[in-house]
Amino acid sequence: MNGMTRESYYSCFAQVFDACVFGAGYAGFAAAQRLADGGKRTLLVDLGGDVLWESGRAFRTATGSWTPEFRAFAERVANASGIADEWLDGAIAELTANDLLRRDGLQVLYYATPVAVEFDEGFLGGVTVAVKSGLRRILSRQWVDATETGTLARLLQPALQAKRPERIELAVHFQRVRWDDTQRVEYAISGQPGCRATWSPSRWSNERILSISAPGATEHWMGLLLPAVRGVREQFGEEIGDGFVSHCSFRPYPVYGAGAGGTGMPQNVALASPALAWAEVETLSERYALGVAAAEALSSRPGATGAESLSRAAIRLPEGVAEMSAEVGVAGLGAGGALAAVAAARAGAATAAFDPLPFAGGTATGGGIPSYYWGVAGGLQDELDDRVREIMPLFANPAVWGRRFHHDARRIVLDEMLRKAGVTCVWGAMLYGVEMRHGRVEAGLRASCWIDATGDGDLAAFAGAKFQLGRAGDGCLHAYTQSLGRFRLAEERLLTGTVNFDSGYTDPTDSEDLTRARITGIGQHSYYAYNAIRRPTWIAPQIGLRQGRQIETDYRLTI
């Protein structure tokens, strides 16, 4: 091919792996790396597409002691940032891990979650996973469950109970060119019993971190962010000055005490789930150690020998799915779905909604797009914008942020609107199919009527609606993006924005191709060294898809 080479590609659903790891946090990442280093053909699977989510989504920076196993990875991050001392920058840790996945050729499947299991003479041989296109099967000889709460383990033992965290921790990162004080101050958060905040210096000279600690039983954790930010502004207003919030935790970081762990798994399954560990699990290095221990345990255990034979059987369907009922079901809680759910609930309908992300807002909050391209204002949109503008001064002033809305302020307001409207929200839920009865949609969530607010028309497509994917003629789709936050320095003032350029092309209905696009897009932001100004602050949790399915509807807008 004129000197060019083409890399061979085999679908992960057409292979039998030596080992498969569910969960791409520190435990899963460590297990997959160790298994692959030992010569095993390994697959790493994760629902969110967030390698090292504890760093890149919860923004946990303190690592705990650098054990010999953890040090090899931690020093890679430290060498890129220039910061060591048991501390890792979240975005740089995620970029480093993503680079290692690309370098090592470890096969990865994002946007997938286990829903059923199949056995081979007492060994776990196959796992049915829900993906963007429906249900598929993964075959492997050995398995590691490194999901946070033991998703795979609880399919194997439905009665298994995961530990609840003793506490959860959140982080809010403030940025400014210069800080006049380096004090560390701890205070109670007003109106939030048992919750405390700590204002302290970061390892970056232009950053301060507001850390929030709350009881593990706290359900409405996002409701802690606004009072915490308001409280620190009240206490340190003059010191913060034109400082702004660059990013807040997208997920809480759980800290577990010692307790009962998972037992009785098939011999070819090892557990690295923090919520199923016998010991305390507090630090990033302890999570990493769980993965290393799981990989080492499998080295002396047998594997399924007849997993290949399962490929000839029908895919195992989920059993015992918990069902919910509502008058209105909303698939997707992005920019449109969140307001649709609020509107339905305010109209008096019992409304339930779900989304694979752990927060509402979609592209506007998780995709790094902080402004409107086009459209007509009015109604709930005005209410949302007015409320975001009301709290914007707590997050950033226009001199540094411009006239754009703040992604964190927006998701906090959307969360508040959904909660006050009484919408039942299920986060981290993958839509993988529907049941049709008498021409109507039914599923694990049963509703009298449905709103498809998925970006790709997934619900409508599963229900049999006709659609077009890509432009007429050749099916080409618009380019996708992988955004992240960056700084720039202008006249002694630190300004911030979102880097948003065309990353390439992808099929948004295919989890394998989306995985490739996600890893490639993040990798385009990688750099050999970073400093306080030239560094990413956060990597958008949602890939920036500009086009999905175009459902054939009664009316169609054209140019």
Side-chain angles (χ1 to χ4, degrees):
M1 297 178 61
N2 298 324
M4 296 177 64
T5 61
R6 175 178 291 175
E7 182 180 353
S8 298
Y9 173 77
Y10 297 96
S11 169
C12 64
F13 306 119
Q15 303 178 55
V16 178
F17 291 92
D18 295 320
C20 176
V21 179
F22 286 99
Y26 272 90
F29 177 76
Q33 291 284 107
R34 181 60 63 96
L35 289 164
D37 289 345
K40 294 190 176 184
R41 190 166 68 257
T42 304
L43 175 68
L44 178 63
V45 184
D46 190 77
L47 171 62
D50 303 324
V51 63
L52 305 191
W53 69 266
E54 299 97 329
S55 285
R57 301 295 169 268
F59 300 113
R60 173 80 169 190
T61 53
T63 64
S65 60
W66 287 11
T67 60
E69 296 86 359
F70 184 68
R71 180 175 295 278
F73 170 74
E75 286 185 344
R76 284 183 174 274
V77 183
N79 289 339
S81 66
I83 300 173
D85 192 25
E86 299 184 0
W87 193 94
L88 297 181
D89 178 87
I92 297 174
E94 183 177 359
L95 282 166
T96 303
N98 190 75
D99 286 346
L100 288 172
L101 293 179
R102 299 173 77 201
R103 184 204 68 178
D104 296 342
L106 182 70
Q107 197 153 348
V108 181
L109 177 65
Y110 289 151
Y111 315 109
T113 188
V115 294
V117 293
E118 297 175 274
F119 292 94
D120 168 38
E121 298 184 354
F123 293 94
L124 179 62
V127 174
T128 303
V129 292
V131 295
K132 289 280 289 182
S133 56
L135 295 176
R136 302 297 297 272
R137 174 192 281 124
I138 294 173
L139 299 175
S140 181
R141 295 182 175 85
Q142 293 183 318
W143 308 81
V144 174
D145 185 353
T147 61
E148 186 66 22
T149 57
T151 305
L152 177 63
R154 287 184 287 113
L155 289 174
L156 294 166
Q157 289 188 18
L160 186 63
Q161 294 291 321
K163 292 185 295 187
R164 296 197 68 171
E166 289 190 345
R167 67 180 190 275
I168 57 172
E169 298 180 351
L170 306 167
V172 182
H173 291 247
F174 283 78
Q175 314 292 338
R176 193 185 186 195
V177 172
R178 295 185 185 85
W179 295 92
D180 299 327
D181 202 342
T182 59
Q183 62 182 322
R184 175 187 173 91
V185 179
E186 183 178 344
Y187 61 93
I189 301 176
S190 177
Q192 303 292 332
C195 300
R196 300 194 65 79
T198 303
W199 175 253
S200 61
S202 162
R203 298 297 192 277
W204 297 114
S205 60
N206 57 352
E207 183 176 75
R208 293 292 180 270
I209 301 177
L210 175 63
S211 303
I212 303 164
S213 180
T218 303
E219 293 184 359
H220 185 224
W221 61 267
M222 203 178 300
L224 301 175
L225 293 173
L226 186 58
V229 172
R230 181 179 285 115
V232 79
R233 287 280 188 184
E234 291 172 352
Q235 291 204 39
F236 306 103
E238 292 185 5
E239 180 192 339
I240 297 174
D242 62 356
F244 58 88
V245 174
S246 56
H247 54 294
C248 304
S249 294
F250 288 102
R251 292 176 59 178
Y253 180 86
V255 174
Y256 300 96
T263 58
M265 294 291 118
Q267 289 187 64
N268 65 331
V269 177
L271 298 183
S273 167
L276 296 178
W278 290 88
E280 296 179 356
V281 182
E282 178 175 1
T283 67
L284 299 181
S285 60
E286 288 170 346
R287 286 170 171 261
Y288 195 93
L290 287 176
V292 172
E296 291 179 346
L298 289 180
S299 65
S300 59
R301 297 186 193 176
T305 57
E308 291 89 342
S309 64
L310 296 174
S311 64
R312 296 187 290 272
I315 288 180
R316 183 75 175 269
L317 300 178
E319 298 177 353
V321 176
E323 292 193 353
M324 299 172 56
S325 297
E327 294 176 89
V328 176
V330 182
L333 281 161
L339 293 186
V342 170
R346 287 186 180 178
T351 304
F354 57 87
D355 196 278
L357 290 172
F359 54 86
T363 300
T365 58
I369 307 300
S371 61
Y372 300 116
Y373 172 65
W374 199 253
V376 179
L380 281 176
Q381 193 71 47
D382 280 356
E383 180 182 334
L384 169 62
D385 291 342
D386 288 345
R387 178 65 178 133
V388 172
R389 277 192 290 269
E390 180 184 333
I391 67 172
M392 268 293 294
L394 296 174
F395 291 83
N397 65 51
V400 297
W401 200 267
R403 300 181 63 183
R404 301 158 296 151
F405 55 76
H406 195 291
H407 56 279
D408 288 317
R410 187 181 179 92
R411 68 183 170 99
I412 288 170
V413 171
L414 282 172
D415 179 78
E416 181 183 67
M417 291 174 69
L418 288 163
R419 183 170 51 85
K420 288 186 175 180
V423 178
T424 299
C425 296
V426 180
W427 307 109
M430 170 69 75
L431 175 65
Y432 60 83
V434 302
E435 294 179 12
M436 298 291 294
R437 295 188 182 181
H438 309 296
R440 301 175 67 85
V441 172
E442 292 188 2
L445 168 59
R446 300 186 181 275
S448 301
C449 59
W450 286 86
I451 297 170
D452 185 350
T454 62
D456 304 308
D458 293 332
L459 180 67
F462 280 129
K466 295 180 179 179
F467 61 86
Q468 177 182 317
L469 184 62
R471 68 187 180 190
D474 62 3
C476 185
L477 288 149
H478 285 305
Y480 79 92
T481 67
Q482 176 55 65
S483 301
L484 53 65
R486 285 276 197 186
F487 295 127
R488 62 187 176 91
L489 195 60
E491 298 179 354
E492 293 297 308
R493 173 169 282 171
L494 197 62
L495 306 181
T496 187
T498 301
V499 178
N500 176 42
F501 55 76
D502 292 352
S503 302
Y505 298 88
T506 187
D507 180 351
T509 68
D510 184 336
S511 288
E512 288 187 281
D513 199 47
L514 275 175
T515 300
R516 175 200 57 79
R518 175 77 165 163
I519 293 172
T520 300
I522 293 176
Q524 291 171 345
H525 297 289
S526 184
Y527 194 62
Y528 68 90
Y530 307 90
N531 58 43
I533 302 298
R534 196 187 194 286
R535 62 181 170 97
T537 50
W538 61 285
I539 297 170
Q542 179 168 304
I543 194 170
L545 297 172
R546 292 197 175 101
Q547 184 181 17
R549 295 186 185 93
Q550 299 166 76
I551 305 298
E552 292 188 12
T553 52
D554 295 333
Y555 298 91
R556 179 179 294 179
L557 298 178
T558 67
I559 292 177

